[in-house]
Amino acid sequence: MSTGAPTSQKTALEFKSTSLTVPVLLLASNDISLIDQQLKEKVVQAPEFFKNSPLLIDLQKLNAQNLPIDFTEIVAIVRQHGFMPIGLRGGNEQQNGDALAMNLPQHSLHGSNVPLVNKAPAKTLPTPAPEEQKQASQSIENKLVTQPIRSGQRVYAKGDLIVTATVSAGAEIMAEGNIHIYGSLRGRALAGVLGNVNSRIFCSDLQAELISIAGIYQLSDDLSKHPAHKPVQISLDNQTLIIKDI
Amino acid sequence: MARIIVVTSGKGGVGKTTTSAAIAMGLAKRGHKTAVIDFDVGLRNLDLIMGCERRVVYDLVNVINNEATLNQALIRDKRCDQLFILPASQTRDKDALTTEGVGKILEELSKDFKYIVCDSPAGIERGATLAMYFADDAFVVTNPEVSSVRDSDRMLGILSSKSRRAENGEEPIKEYLLLSRYSPDRVKLGEMLSVDDVQEILSLHLLGVIPESKSVLNASNSGTPVILDEQSDAGQAYADIVARYLGETKPHRFIEEEKKGLLSKLFGSK
């Protein structure tokens, strides 16, 4: 390690700190088959949502009740269901050791009253975490659909979704970002499905069955006062959907 | 290579079999060697509409199971020697159909037929999906009412995602709209969706409008495809559809209400 690097050399890297929102799996039972079954049920409800999702595994509840569990087994199950575990928190010495052996870092419990048995956060390997976090946060893929979306079809976009044709009654379109529809919208449109409250829906003819932004929705009954055949944009303001002419 | 046409709708009772019989007869009458296949295994009807129910020996399922050859099962039409009918089995159900079996039959027929018309059963289950799987063109038969239109829309979605062409990433199936049982005077009264309404919802190329007509039921009862009744409005509508499909330009008819002459007004005849 040479400390006296020439000053003219360009900086190739930089350490920064960032905070991310990551789903946490808080286990309340050490029954492996029960966990497996309930995970499966959850994933079936929203397969796209959970696919390749980063996941932090939290064992503090189990350890508080002294319920033993094999961390490697949990990681295997979680991976089977399509999650990407990015670490452990609230684990005991054995579990933390298992995590390190699998190159999974430990995370500290902020403001938790469960005592950390192994006080060695400085020892954790910092490399895997930023790498995987970056992958998870940078996967914006916009989607363009030029064919009519027919009744019974579902379209999902990881970024923005742009439809240049009609969305029929009984069809469902979802996007993690914004939705733009240049035909008539007669089906269901759900923008910001991962909770992005700043996403919007733009459409040239609003006759939708349902519109939703970040889980806040309105049905066609509530929409009927808005005239069809008029371009509108829908945004979310303080938990209320606002429909405005463009 | 033959062109494979599927006549489909999703909903039942809209006129798929009537249309299959009429289109197949129309194509054959113009000199194209045509086969029409009934995919409605268990609810065989096409043979009745074609008037050949007493000549059925072997059927589609027999051919799939190698119990009969294709030539044994094909029935030559008595009115037009270019037309052949492959009936469905009445004693089996739709699970007797296999993708490989149907594929093999269509491949063999393709060798010496110009057009193959597949009469799809209602629904979106096995029979219907197999009828459309190998298609090149789809005739979507729709009645001017909301449930039929929505079912057609669903069928169009399946056509664009679950066909062989879609799965192999080839050019998509060509889709045509046939609006059947249309009555302009009821549209005028607001009791029925208009051609424009249906087209706006389905955004599909309109191949033709078939008016609600007594001649259709008469033709079915007598086992004569309605296209052979050249005097009837429905027969003429189907003749137009065949012509348009073959690339001729024909103005659309039967969309506007018929203007009644002074005499028929006076006597109230129809």
Side-chain angles (χ1 to χ4, degrees):
Chain A
M1 279 240 254
S2 79
T3 42
T7 42
S8 61
Q9 201 176 320
K10 252 181 124 184
T11 13
L13 52 85
E14 202 179 349
F15 278 107
K16 282 198 158 183
S17 100
T18 176
S19 62
L20 291 166
T21 317
V22 172
V24 176
L25 183 69
L26 189 59
L27 292 179
S29 158
N30 65 345
D31 181 344
I32 297 277
S33 60
L34 190 67
I35 293 169
D36 185 36
Q37 186 204 333
Q38 294 191 358
L39 256 185
K40 195 175 177 184
E41 284 165 13
K42 289 274 181 210
V43 171
V44 163
Q45 284 170 15
E48 285 293 334
F49 181 88
F50 288 122
K51 199 175 167 192
N52 296 337
S53 164
L55 189 70
L56 183 64
I57 297 165
D58 191 328
L59 300 177
Q60 56 168 311
K61 258 195 182 172
L62 288 186
N63 288 329
Q65 298 168 40
N66 282 323
L67 292 169
I69 193 159
D70 186 351
F71 182 65
T72 46
E73 239 179 295
I74 290 295
V75 168
I77 286 178
V78 157
R79 286 205 168 121
Q80 246 174 42
H81 288 288
F83 293 95
M84 296 186 153
I86 57 157
L88 162 70
R89 85 177 177 188
N92 59 27
E93 217 162 320
Q94 165 74 38
Q95 291 157 347
N96 287 344
D98 288 345
L100 271 180
M102 283 186 282
N103 278 341
L104 290 173
Q106 304 160 32
H107 295 263
S108 59
L109 288 159
H110 303 289
S112 165
N113 49 10
V114 177
L116 258 180
V117 190
N118 184 1
K119 286 229 177 202
K123 262 202 208 161
T124 51
L125 294 169
T127 33
E131 239 179 45
E132 289 189 45
Q133 280 167 355
K134 216 185 236 169
Q135 269 179 7
S137 60
Q138 288 296 321
S139 60
I140 293 171
E141 273 173 59
N142 298 332
K143 194 180 255 180
L144 171 69
V145 180
T146 55
Q147 294 292 315
I149 300 174
R150 303 291 185 183
S151 186
Q153 288 185 313
R154 300 176 87 188
V155 178
Y156 188 94
K158 279 191 167 294
D160 281 9
L161 176 62
I162 303 135
V163 183
T164 59
T166 301
V167 179
S168 291
E172 192 169 69
I173 58 174
M174 288 173 283
E176 290 174 19
N178 306 305
I179 293 179
H180 309 253
I181 303 148
Y182 295 98
S184 298
L185 169 62
R186 299 197 182 90
R188 297 164 167 240
L190 299 91
V193 285
L194 292 192
N196 181 0
V197 291
N198 294 319
S199 52
R200 292 185 179 195
I201 300 171
F202 304 86
C203 79
S204 55
D205 177 15
L206 180 66
Q207 303 177 36
E209 289 172 349
L210 178 145
I211 48 168
S212 158
I213 294 173
I216 310 290
Y217 68 90
Q218 267 191 20
L219 288 165
S220 55
D221 274 357
D222 314 317
L223 297 171
S224 52
K225 53 183 178 285
H226 291 276
H229 311 293
K230 243 177 135 181
V232 291
Q233 66 164 313
I234 301 146
S235 54
L236 192 62
D237 182 27
N238 199 15
Q239 302 281 302
T240 315
L241 289 177
I242 311 288
I243 304 173
K244 270 194 295 196
D245 291 354
I246 303 176
Chain B
M1 273 301 275
R3 195 88 188 153
I4 301 171
I5 303 168
V6 60
V7 178
T8 187
S9 73
K11 195 174 179 296
V14 295
K16 285 181 295 296
T17 303
T18 303
T19 300
S20 301
I23 298 293
M25 180 60 87
L27 289 166
K29 289 268 278 180
R30 281 167 169 262
H32 304 295
K33 197 171 178 193
T34 304
V36 56
I37 307 175
D38 190 351
F39 275 83
D40 207 346
V41 178
L43 293 167
R44 181 175 90 196
N45 279 155
L46 182 71
D47 53 326
L48 288 172
I49 309 289
M50 297 296 300
C52 65
E53 71 276 12
R54 275 179 278 181
R55 294 200 286 145
V56 175
V57 184
Y58 296 109
D59 57 52
L60 179 63
V61 175
N62 291 138
V63 182
I64 287 179
N65 294 343
N66 291 321
E67 292 154 4
T69 66
L70 202 48
N71 282 331
Q72 283 175 307
L74 283 171
I75 304 170
R76 186 190 282 263
D77 190 86
K78 280 187 171 161
R79 293 149 296 207
C80 179
D81 61 1
Q82 296 290 318
L83 180 60
F84 291 80
I85 298 121
L86 182 55
S89 169
Q90 181 71 349
T91 52
R92 307 292 292 268
D93 62 39
K94 276 146 189 108
D95 294 330
L97 297 175
T98 60
T99 314
E100 302 79 48
V102 172
K104 224 176 83 192
I105 290 178
L106 289 174
E107 198 184 314
E108 212 175 318
L109 284 174
S110 289
K111 285 176 198 154
D112 48 71
F113 282 87
K114 183 83 189 291
Y115 291 102
I116 301 167
V117 179
C118 301
D119 180 21
S120 168
I124 53 173
E125 283 77 35
R126 194 175 186 82
T129 46
L130 270 179
M132 64 97 199
Y133 184 76
F134 296 97
D136 302 305
D137 298 311
F139 287 8
V140 179
V141 183
T142 306
N143 286 171
E145 49 100 16
V146 282
S147 59
S148 173
V149 171
R150 176 169 295 185
D151 289 358
S152 294
D153 196 46
R154 178 87 172 96
M155 204 63 221
L156 285 162
I158 294 171
L159 281 169
S160 61
S161 59
K162 296 209 177 125
S163 66
R164 180 176 61 171
R165 281 170 173 265
E167 282 175 8
N168 296 348
E170 296 165 28
E171 195 188 327
I173 296 178
K174 272 207 184 111
E175 300 154 341
Y176 301 93
L177 173 64
L178 274 71
L179 200 55
S180 61
R181 308 197 68 166
Y182 195 74
S183 79
D185 39 341
R186 294 195 66 187
V187 171
K188 208 175 167 192
L189 290 170
E191 298 173 347
M192 204 177 247
L193 293 176
S194 71
V195 178
D196 293 340
D197 292 338
V198 177
Q199 271 202 285
E200 200 196 313
I201 298 172
L202 293 181
S203 37
L204 207 58
H205 178 72
L206 179 71
L207 197 60
V209 173
I210 304 110
E212 173 82 65
S213 168
K214 283 181 186 166
S215 56
V216 172
L217 192 57
N218 289 338
S220 300
N221 289 338
S222 64
T224 327
V226 70
I227 199 167
L228 294 175
D229 185 356
E230 284 162 18
Q231 302 301 311
S232 74
D233 43 3
Q236 291 171 19
Y238 278 118
D240 282 5
I241 285 167
V242 171
R244 281 189 208 110
Y245 175 69
L246 293 173
E248 294 170 28
T249 334
K250 291 246 177 193
H252 282 288
R253 292 196 275 170
F254 314 109
I255 294 177
E256 298 297 323
E257 214 176 343
E258 223 174 295
K259 290 201 174 57
K260 281 186 181 167
L262 183 64
L263 278 176
S264 57
K265 260 187 198 163
L266 280 178
F267 298 107
S269 70
K270 234 192 140 193

